[in-house]
Amino acid sequence: MATTLSRRTVLRSLGTAIALPMLDVMQPGRLLAASGGPSTPPIRMGFFYVPNGMHMPDWTPQSEGTSYQMPETLARLSAHRKHLNVLSGLTLDGARAHGDGGGDHARSVAAFLTGAHPRKTNGADIQNGVSVDQATATQIGAATRFASLELGLETSSQAGNCDSGYSCAYASNMSWRGPTNPMAKENDPRAVFDRLFAGQTEKETRRARSEREKHRKSILDFVEEDAKRLHAHLPIVDRRKLDEYLYSIRDIEKRIAGAEKLGITEEGVPDYPRPLGVPRELSKHSELMMDMIALAYQTDSTRILSFMFTNAGSNRSYKEIDVNEGHHELSHHGKSADKQRGIAKINRFHLDRFEYLLAKLKQIPEGEGTLLDHCMIVYGSGISDGDRHNHDNLPILLAGGGGGRIRSGRHISYKNGTPLCNLYLWMMHQMGAPASAFGDSTGQLDKLG
């Protein structure tokens, strides 16, 4: 029976490398750390962006503290109340016009993780700031296979005019490695799956994929013998964890394969532009991507990721929930009750997808708690009320326990105008990537611990 196992152990075979979840035999607590006491699982950070603001009356609690009542939209997360903080009053000054006129949607995404005010241009001379995920990855990213992951449900653009003279690079990317270097996001769940579980090199990955497709095999078929050898030397609890983990991988493979057969309407034409392998239904697409995120965190393939539900100013309709008007159009509701109901339905649809992720993270045991206990995940938008295009008092959630660093279950109201970047600066310090300042921060956000 194994007594200890390296956290970096993988199951290997032809062009395949499957990282393992956190098993008990990997727990640092089984051996005394050099400091004389047990250490804990790593902390993960994530950032989830939704466009066009929020229907704020259904979002903002009326009272502070732990006894607040969840409004209708937030109530979708009632099962995770103890793992959430609702943060009010945070502001994204970089998304304001500052004399540049229209373009709030593009600015809201470009500034969301950078805190910077992007240069207004639709040419090649884009200029933004470094995003918090990349600033953190620069310091700690070497600890994992992927320093960071950039994901979403729509593709990124690097050029073009997308919003009142702002480049599409601003509107479709929120992660920035440098002021002129947006990080394109991946929206194909199969491509993410291959990155997580295929070989270490591109050549190995192509070879493994070719063999799987040729013989219609699961990726697990290639590591079956390695898995059996490991299984025989694990304690009973870890055998169960390994079995459940491998089952989830095979289940996701089947769903991805099924998704690739979708995407055509009864009339024989695509109902929404998408690359091959992306499900037609947004709910199925998003759930597969949330599965990828959970696996990436569970295997410690990365500790840092960002996710955009759609690009800035998206006017996508949501026929799955009987909202046939475009999202952006509805956000300019002009106090129309019907349009506000439509916006609220879209808000709840996005939040349901986020709830799916939180539920998965909460079901995965890790250390003395769950994977969610070791996460810090920001969910929100760089616009508050889509009709006003305001960037203060933003709709922001902080989910997860941060490895015991976050006291959750509260609505915390800050003075309106408090920089959102204060939260990011605090998060960087918790991740072991301290900085004296970030974006337009005035200090680390208080009241979280």
Side-chain angles (χ1 to χ4, degrees):
M1 180 178 296
T3 55
T4 60
L5 193 67
S6 169
R7 187 69 182 89
R8 293 182 177 272
T9 300
V10 297
L11 301 178
R12 289 185 181 276
S13 186
L14 173 65
T16 302
I18 298 183
L20 296 174
M22 179 74 82
L23 302 173
D24 281 0
V25 292
M26 294 175 177
Q27 296 296 327
R30 293 179 67 89
L31 295 175
L32 290 180
S35 61
S39 56
T40 57
I43 303 175
R44 288 77 156 188
M45 65 159 40
F47 304 93
F48 288 70
Y49 187 89
V50 290
N52 301 325
M54 206 72 64
H55 182 53
M56 296 303 289
D58 283 353
W59 176 276
T60 308
Q62 296 300 306
S63 60
E64 296 183 59
T66 58
S67 60
Y68 74 93
Q69 182 176 351
M70 281 185 155
E72 186 175 357
T73 294
L74 282 184
R76 316 294 277 208
L77 300 180
S78 57
H80 311 290
R81 181 185 178 111
K82 292 182 179 179
H83 294 85
L84 290 175
N85 278 328
V86 185
L87 310 180
S88 297
L90 301 183
T91 296
L92 192 59
D93 184 65
R96 290 169 168 157
H98 292 296
D100 283 342
D104 288 276
H105 291 283
R107 285 194 301 262
S108 71
V109 172
F112 190 65
L113 295 188
T114 67
H117 181 73
R119 174 187 290 162
K120 188 166 189 176
T121 178
N122 57 23
D125 57 334
I126 56 174
Q127 185 79 23
N128 197 13
V130 177
S131 55
V132 60
D133 59 323
Q134 296 306 306
T136 306
T138 297
Q139 295 195 52
I140 70 166
T144 54
R145 281 185 65 200
F146 305 105
S148 64
L149 289 177
E150 296 72 45
L151 308 173
L153 300 182
E154 295 183 344
T155 57
S156 291
S157 298
Q158 307 304 332
N161 184 353
C162 275
D163 185 12
S164 303
Y166 278 96
S167 170
C168 297
Y170 296 130
S172 62
N173 298 285
M174 70 172 182
S175 180
W176 291 71
R177 180 167 51 86
T180 61
N181 305 110
M183 302 284 287
K185 57 190 182 295
E186 177 60 68
N187 78 321
D188 187 337
R190 180 172 183 175
V192 181
F193 185 90
D194 283 344
R195 288 183 67 187
L196 291 177
F197 299 114
Q200 300 289 335
T201 68
E202 185 177 349
K203 182 178 180 180
E204 289 176 336
T205 299
R206 288 198 304 268
R207 185 182 178 194
R209 185 186 301 120
S210 176
E211 286 293 313
R212 292 202 308 273
E213 292 174 352
K214 178 180 178 181
H215 300 288
R216 297 184 178 179
K217 288 186 175 182
S218 161
I219 196 171
L220 299 181
D221 293 331
F222 289 86
V223 297
E224 183 177 9
E225 292 305 316
D226 204 9
K228 286 181 178 178
R229 284 192 294 271
L230 175 62
H231 194 277
H233 291 86
L234 291 176
I236 293 177
V237 172
D238 280 345
R239 290 180 188 178
R240 291 173 182 165
K241 287 183 181 180
L242 181 61
D243 289 342
E244 291 173 0
Y245 170 66
L246 296 178
Y247 175 84
S248 70
I249 292 177
R250 194 179 294 274
D251 178 64
I252 291 169
E253 272 191 309
K254 292 178 181 177
R255 288 162 53 209
I256 289 174
E260 291 174 347
K261 300 174 184 177
L262 302 175
I264 304 298
T265 66
E266 293 180 356
E267 293 74 26
V269 295
D271 70 345
Y272 192 77
R274 64 176 182 80
L276 181 67
V278 175
R280 179 181 63 198
E281 292 91 344
L282 194 63
S283 57
K284 291 183 179 179
H285 185 187
S286 62
E287 286 178 3
L288 280 172
M289 295 300 281
M290 297 304 168
D291 288 336
M292 296 300 103
I293 290 169
L295 287 172
Y297 278 157
Q298 183 182 10
T299 58
D300 201 26
S301 294
T302 191
R303 297 172 188 172
I304 304 167
L305 61 82
S306 59
F307 183 91
M308 290 179 65
F309 278 88
T310 63
N311 295 336
S314 169
N315 201 38
R316 180 172 190 158
S317 61
Y318 289 75
K319 295 180 181 179
E320 288 182 66
I321 54 173
D322 298 321
V323 177
N324 296 319
E325 293 178 83
H327 188 186
H328 181 233
E329 179 185 352
L330 287 170
S331 72
H332 291 275
H333 52 75
K335 300 189 183 304
S336 161
D338 287 342
K339 289 189 174 183
Q340 290 182 75
R341 278 192 290 270
I343 279 290
K345 288 182 73 172
I346 294 173
N347 294 161
R348 292 193 285 272
F349 177 85
H350 288 152
L351 211 59
D352 284 343
R353 315 280 73 80
F354 187 59
E355 191 281 330
Y356 176 89
L357 173 65
L358 298 184
K360 288 193 74 70
L361 297 178
K362 195 160 66 172
Q363 291 167 1
I364 299 172
E366 186 178 77
E368 299 298 320
T370 69
L371 185 50
L372 184 57
D373 291 325
H374 301 109
C375 288
M376 299 185 297
I377 302 177
V378 175
Y379 177 100
S381 181
I383 293 177
S384 181
D385 177 3
D387 197 47
R388 293 173 54 209
H389 278 185
N390 62 307
H391 307 286
D392 64 321
N393 196 25
L394 295 172
I396 301 293
L397 296 176
L398 179 62
R405 293 166 173 79
I406 300 174
R407 185 161 54 92
S408 298
R410 298 175 292 156
H411 171 216
I412 307 174
S413 183
Y414 296 94
K415 181 180 179 182
N416 196 22
T418 300
L420 177 61
C421 286
N422 285 8
L423 168 61
Y424 298 158
L425 183 62
W426 182 87
M427 292 175 69
M428 289 180 69
H429 280 254
Q430 311 316 307
M431 291 292 293
S436 58
F438 179 79
D440 65 345
S441 67
T442 56
Q444 295 186 53
L445 196 64
D446 59 358
K447 304 179 184 179
L448 294 175

